[in-house]
Amino acid sequence: KQEVTQIPAALSVPEGENLVLNCSFTDSAIYNLQWFRQDPGKGLTSLLLIQSSQREQTSGRLNASLDKSSGRSTLYIAASQPGDSATYLCAVYNAGNMLTFGGGTRLMVKP
Amino acid sequence: ETGVTQTPRHLVMGMTNKKSLKCEQHLGHNAMYWYKQSAKKPLELMFVYSLEERVENNSVPSRFSPECPNSSHLFLHLHTLQPEDSALYLCASSPGGGVGTGELFFGEGSRLTVL
């Protein structure tokens, strides 16, 4: 059974810092990995999707990498802003139509 | 606006009530999903439909009954729920071409409270 872990569970940084969020998974036979953002009480917004054949994806200040063999992905946020404050979730898709989510990292960027 | 619309956004019901959650996607996707998000727990997959056929039922109690009349609409019928069923219920859709190969788009969720 796939297990997805996100570290740290919570993170507080001053505005302007570059930061890295970590995601690890136990079963490397994945189709893809997706990073989401969730604001309190809201749904999930897709940030980046990395297919299993890819190593990284970039969108603006966000860069996500994938190392399938070691079961790891990182989300890099450059020059963080208060508007980046949210919970960040990673999810991996395995065979059997299973999308497994991590517990999320709650990010607070202070002005 | 993700193209996935859920109604109602908030619902309060008693344990003997029957209610339904509705999800509609305007993205032309072929797969739709129900997820449950409880406090301090990771999102849990409940149901997956691909081209209106249920392809996954993740050991969900029978008091939750999904319905997918067409590829744009998904319902979750609720009856005889328990207080521990209180949670945020999220609907998502993804393109066709095989479940698991496309990006998921989520709705805003329906916040359910069972009294």
Side-chain angles (χ1 to χ4, degrees), chain A residues 25-40:
Chain A
F25 47 95
T26 54
D27 182 352
S28 62
I30 64 171
Y31 287 126
N32 62 46
L33 183 146
Q34 195 167 355
W35 281 94
F36 296 91
R37 167 188 173 137
Q38 185 176 30
D39 293 287

Side-chain angles (χ1 to χ4, degrees), chain A residues 28-71:
Chain A
S28 62
I30 64 171
Y31 287 126
N32 62 46
L33 183 146
Q34 195 167 355
W35 281 94
F36 296 91
R37 167 188 173 137
Q38 185 176 30
D39 293 287
K42 297 292 185 73
L44 278 66
T45 300
S46 178
L47 297 173
L48 291 163
L49 172 72
I50 310 178
Q51 299 290 352
S52 62
S53 58
Q54 298 175 321
R55 298 282 294 183
E56 66 177 340
Q57 283 286 334
T58 298
S59 176
R61 295 183 292 110
L62 305 179
N63 176 275
S65 67
L66 174 63
D67 184 343
K68 229 175 61 160
S69 61
S70 66

Side-chain angles (χ1 to χ4, degrees), chain A residues 93 97, chain B residues 4 25 27-34 47-53 55 68 70-72 74 91-100 102-105:
Chain A
Y93 224 121
N97 305 317
Chain B
V4 181
Q25 59 97 358
L27 302 169
H29 289 169
N30 289 323
M32 296 187 76
Y33 311 76
W34 279 117
F47 301 103
V48 180
Y49 278 82
S50 179
L51 295 172
E52 302 149 47
E53 295 289 326
V55 297
C68 188
N70 54 62
S71 59
S72 299
L74 184 65
C91 173
S93 70
S94 67
V99 178
E103 187 174 2
L104 258 69
F105 293 83

Side-chain angles (χ1 to χ4, degrees), chain B residues 35-54:
Chain B
Y35 282 87
K36 177 183 178 182
Q37 188 175 37
S38 305
K40 301 188 187 302
K41 291 177 67 175
L43 268 79
E44 301 170 72
L45 176 66
M46 299 176 74
F47 301 103
V48 180
Y49 278 82
S50 179
L51 295 172
E52 302 149 47
E53 295 289 326
R54 188 191 305 182

Side-chain angles (χ1 to χ4, degrees), chain B residues 52-82:
Chain B
E52 302 149 47
E53 295 289 326
R54 188 191 305 182
V55 297
E56 183 72 32
N57 174 0
N58 204 22
S59 303
V60 179
S62 59
R63 58 185 183 269
F64 295 91
S65 175
E67 178 189 1
C68 188
N70 54 62
S71 59
S72 299
H73 293 86
L74 184 65
F75 295 89
L76 188 62
H77 303 300
L78 316 168
H79 61 96
T80 328
L81 295 192
Q82 305 297 312

